[in-house]
Amino acid sequence: MPKLTIDGKEYEVPAGTSVIKACHENGIDIPHYCYHPGLSPEGNCRLCLVEIEKMPKLAPSCTTVAGEGMIVRTNTDKVKKARADVMEFLLVDHPIDCPICDQVGECKLQDYYMEHDRRPSHVPLEQKILKPKRVQFSDKVIYDAERCILCTRCVRFCREVPGTNELGMFNRGAVSLIGLNEGRQLANDYSMNVVDVCPVGALTSASFRFQKRVYFLKTTPSVCNGCSRGCNINLDWDNEKLFRYRPRPNLEVNDYWMCDAGRLSCASQQAEGRLLRPKARMAGELKQQPWGRILDRVAEALRSAGDGKLAVLLSARATTEENYAWRSLIQSRFPKAFVAFTPADFYAEGKGDDILITADKSPNQAAGDALGLRSGSSLEQIVQAMESGQIATLVVLDDDYASSRNPNNRLADRFRAALAKVAEVVAVTPHESETTRLASVIVPKAAFTETTGTFINVDRRVQRIARSVPPPGEALEGLDIVSRLAHLLGTETASGNAAATFARMTASDAAFRGLTWEGLGEQGALLAS
């Protein structure tokens, strides 16, 4: 591994490391536009120039590989002047419309101007070259050519990640701009990542434009629930409202990217159809009830059904801790009850790809194996028991088995018909569904963006999710619900705290041995083999 000296201090880096990466990994900031760690270097913006001893000119640190004995200086007067000159060049025709630009607060052009230039433009506004504005690259991405600095990150993203090559650079000199190649639309499944890689306000999201100034947003690290990949994301929110998902780098899971479907699922978390208050069916009608009465009714339903007449359907859409807490409660109080987990192919909708998207659209299918939930009853067995009139109380966590819209829900018709033979059907879920419409008790649960816990992805990586906004209405976090029920049933098998539940899980289940809540960090950790 070569050793190089940066600003008077010696560092050792892996062979092939670029100078800018060596600097960044050692806490030395190098301003840059065209460089992105997930894309090939191009060296076109020239902002990352550094001084390297024995080189006659300043060198772009993104395309210069660190070599043995190299002496690098990142902050000399010569470097500072070069950066200021680059900034002046990039701003020659910039419209200077920061007050109305949606990128304010996360615009590197604005940030670097304040850090490295701070000089007034030599070109009056009326003499600046006008370019196309509000160009629709797709129904998801809007382009403003006047703000574009032609770093080509977006072009390289389309070429190197999805491999679709929709974008290119057109014209020459001062009238150069980014555009769609002839006959193409920006329509790949990852197209909105070009908004993330754009360092300025040239590419913006059609769904997020002008919704919120980003400096008002709070950010919570979490994991997408759109499929079993478990892409790491940031939840941006303010005043109890979610505004957007953004990919969070994790080189073991999703690199720097996420798919458009996962990103746009943000809106569904707070859309119509959320269950806001607990309800119970009385004289044939679902009526709102206080939490105390609802939980008493559920506890009594579990108690009166007893072992042989109780069935619980756990879910690949709930957190690992919720599934563990329900399993622990049922095993301790009703060891002969039917307990099943979401069938492995239940959420196998559509097809995956070779990048991130998986066919399984549930975020926590792997929890079924890790918790040993597949060795118990199956959904088929529970439906048969329901049809025979054996089940008196059924608890359904999250999944909508009564809906026939899912082509993999082969038991939908039978499940729906069999519900009529069950005295008490308890639906514990965040959203309205066909199952909740047929249930006798509705227990409104927090969505994953309102919950702390873990999901286990397709590669058996345990990853934490964290509560960002509070659940709407009177909904409670899933662990809170099951711990209150456990208390009513006279057992303390469940805790309302995700970290405490995780600790119990690591002590009791071999798959989780050696893991700790703190050790999961923000990048997750693999289950034991």
Side-chain angles (χ1 to χ4, degrees), residues 408-431:
N408 297 317
N409 192 7
R410 292 175 284 274
L411 299 175
D413 293 340
R414 289 173 56 196
F415 183 85
R416 208 165 36 244
L419 284 178
K421 297 183 179 181
V422 180
E424 199 78 292
V425 178
V426 181
V428 185
T429 178
H431 300 282

Side-chain angles (χ1 to χ4, degrees), residues 30-31 46-51 58-61 74 79 82-83 86:
I30 302 289
R46 318 306 283 181
L47 191 63
C48 70
L49 294 173
V50 294
E51 197 171 337
L58 296 178
S61 57
T74 69
V79 169
R83 289 173 184 166
V86 169

Side-chain angles (χ1 to χ4, degrees), residues 128-198:
K128 290 177 182 284
I129 294 175
L130 302 180
K131 294 183 180 179
K133 300 179 77 68
R134 297 179 295 281
V135 180
Q136 270 203 297
F137 279 177
S138 71
D139 58 349
K140 301 171 187 168
V141 178
I142 310 295
Y143 177 60
D144 186 319
E146 289 185 353
R147 296 173 185 160
C148 182
I149 59 170
L150 303 171
C151 69
T152 71
R153 281 187 183 185
C154 54
V155 176
R156 282 176 284 149
F157 172 82
C158 291
R159 183 175 67 222
E160 297 172 10
V161 181
T164 45
N165 285 305
E166 294 102 329
L167 299 178
M169 187 189 290
F170 298 88
N171 304 332
R172 302 185 68 179
V175 293
S176 297
L177 49 74
I178 301 297
L180 290 163
N181 288 318
E182 187 174 359
R184 305 296 300 274
Q185 287 288 313
L186 186 59
N188 68 71
D189 291 333
Y190 299 86
S191 67
M192 296 181 77
N193 287 281
V194 299
V195 174
D196 302 323
V197 300
C198 179

